[in-house]
Amino acid sequence: MTIPGPAESVEPVVRTSSGAVRGRTEDGLTVFRGIPFAQPPVGDARFAAPRRPRPWDGIRDAYAFGPPPPQDLGAAGTAGSPDVPGGEDWLTVNGWTPAPDPAAHRPVMVWIHGGAYKMGHSGNPAYDARRIAADGDLVVVTLNYRLGMEGFAHIEGAPANRGLLDQVAALVWVQENIAAFGGDPDQVTIFGESAGAGSVAALLAMPRAAGLFRRAVAQSVPGTFFSTALAADIGTALAAELGLRPTVEDLADLTPDQLVKAGQALAPKMPGRVARWGQAAPTITPYAPVVDGEFLPVTPWRALASGAARDVELIAGHNRDENRLFTLMAGKLGEIGEDRASTALRLYAPGGEAAYRAAFPDASANDLYEHVQTDWLFAMPSLHLAEAHLAGGGRAHVYELTWPAPAFGGDLGACHALDIPLLFGTFKADLALLQFGDAEPSEEALALSSGFRAAWTAFARTGDPGWPAYDTRQRLVRVFDTESTVAPYPEEISRRLWEGYEFAPLPLVGPEA
């Protein structure tokens, strides 16, 4: 319920299941920040499944974002806004609503941020959801979840996938409380990008998440899910960086910063462990959801193909040139030679290196490298997620972003994470500063941005984003570009190369070479 106050009040108060919170009116919306959805995972709650938040008396000011979970801040943009506080209350949600009216029953969109399962937080200015909430006349929720070793490392005595369990807890909070903020708990859409899209895919497959949302949007789904054997071996290596065993007993008394440093120390060593960790090694990301057989019984692709989420409507898609962002960050954009291309093709290409070279006979070594990296990590996992959903009796819509980022003379192409500023309209935050540069966004960019929001919010409201559902006959998808169109899936060559490929849990390959 909304607690009544004077008509001129700009600080509405809403009562949640844990206590009352006071928000602020900003740009015609009511905004609440930093509301706990679980207890701080510290002390005896360290490495445990999330626990319900402790109730409070009085009215809690919900003016500021909660503190970011402990994380690797080595990449640009992960530190976020300077006014984000410190502290241990990491597990919080934020909400933007046209009005906290319990009678409104507006659709709800819940954003799950990316960041390689080791960085990012909901207070990042890139995820300012005011435009989505205003344009779509709906409620938007963003959330934090545990990252890195705290949330995803294999630790003996601790449940697997703690970061995913945090997301489930946040969705339970939405179910219990969102009506008071003007939202409809029966009209919840989850959406996320990169590791956030991997989380969306995992939630589709998790029995604990069943019934907590009606629709899902997965933007650039990574195909990296770990087997228990691989997760355990990487967990052992992470703890070894600290001279310890990967157990709750050994790790519980360490500071979060010490665990972050273990991940930072291991990451640059990972490319040298291909003989043991296979395809996971060059990603330099020692964290991913684990197919543990309990919380995540099977991979999302297998779960969806079996009909596990057939009643959930889905959008899945990717950007055409995903990997170029990472080659730019490595200082190698456009400079990949034959040796690195061959190494990548041998490691990732289904059918081997020769199949890719035959399929793209005119491609340079650099282009082959970009193709196979993009296909393996994001494009084909995203497409296969939609096809698995279709096979399991569900309905899916597919898209591809082909519009190139304007910075670097367009050489970045439609790179990874370009869809974030386009969707949120946040062109001056985080990676958008790299993708768009200092110039104001063009009318073309603003129009494309508006088109993204219109499609996503229409889907959240009706299940129809404005283009046909995907099928295996015509394979029609939305192509987002200067002039967005509906066309057969543009990456047909790659689709055929990966046809029949299974995105299985990444295995522990063998002993050290």
Side-chain angles (χ1 to χ4, degrees), residues 190-214:
I190 59 173
F191 66 129
E193 182 270 348
S194 194
S199 298
V200 167
L203 290 166
L204 286 164
M206 291 176 67
R208 286 197 176 199
L212 296 178
F213 54 93
R214 181 172 177 178

Side-chain angles (χ1 to χ4, degrees), residues 311-332:
D311 294 331
V312 177
E313 296 159 328
L314 174 67
I315 292 176
H318 62 88
N319 306 345
R320 181 185 59 200
D321 310 300
E322 298 270 7
N323 196 68
R324 290 192 197 178
L325 177 68
F326 307 116
T327 47
L328 172 74
M329 288 180 162
K332 299 291 184 181

Side-chain angles (χ1 to χ4, degrees), residues 153-237:
H154 182 279
I155 298 174
E156 295 173 24
N161 296 310
R162 297 173 297 280
L164 297 179
L165 295 178
D166 293 344
Q167 296 167 15
V168 172
L171 291 171
V172 170
W173 183 94
V174 168
Q175 285 294 310
E176 293 179 351
N177 295 286
I178 206 63
F181 294 84
D184 182 352
D186 294 326
Q187 287 264 64
V188 174
T189 298
I190 59 173
F191 66 129
E193 182 270 348
S194 194
S199 298
V200 167
L203 290 166
L204 286 164
M206 291 176 67
R208 286 197 176 199
L212 296 178
F213 54 93
R214 181 172 177 178
R215 300 183 178 104
V217 183
Q219 304 169 212
S220 304
V221 181
T224 46
F225 282 68
F226 289 172
S227 65
T228 52
L230 177 63
D233 205 63
I234 293 176
T236 298

Side-chain angles (χ1 to χ4, degrees), residues 75 78 111-120 127 145 147 152 164 167 190-204 217-225 283 285 287-289 300-301 315-319 322-323 325-326 329 373-374 376-379 381-382 385 399 415-421 423-424 430-431 435 456:
T78 56
W111 171 254
I112 304 173
H113 69 76
Y117 306 105
K118 65 180 181 179
M119 56 192 174
Y127 309 138
Y145 57 99
L147 304 164
F152 289 94
L164 297 179
Q167 296 167 15
I190 59 173
F191 66 129
E193 182 270 348
S194 194
S199 298
V200 167
L203 290 166
L204 286 164
V217 183
Q219 304 169 212
S220 304
V221 181
T224 46
F225 282 68
T283 67
T285 301
Y287 313 107
W301 299 273
I315 292 176
H318 62 88
N319 306 345
E322 298 270 7
N323 196 68
L325 177 68
F326 307 116
M329 288 180 162
Q373 295 273 33
T374 288
W376 172 75
L377 188 52
F378 295 114
S382 300
L385 192 74
Y399 76 90
C415 67
H416 188 63
L418 179 60
D419 46 317
I420 294 175
L423 176 59
F424 284 86
D430 202 55
L431 291 172
Q435 296 157 339
W456 267 225

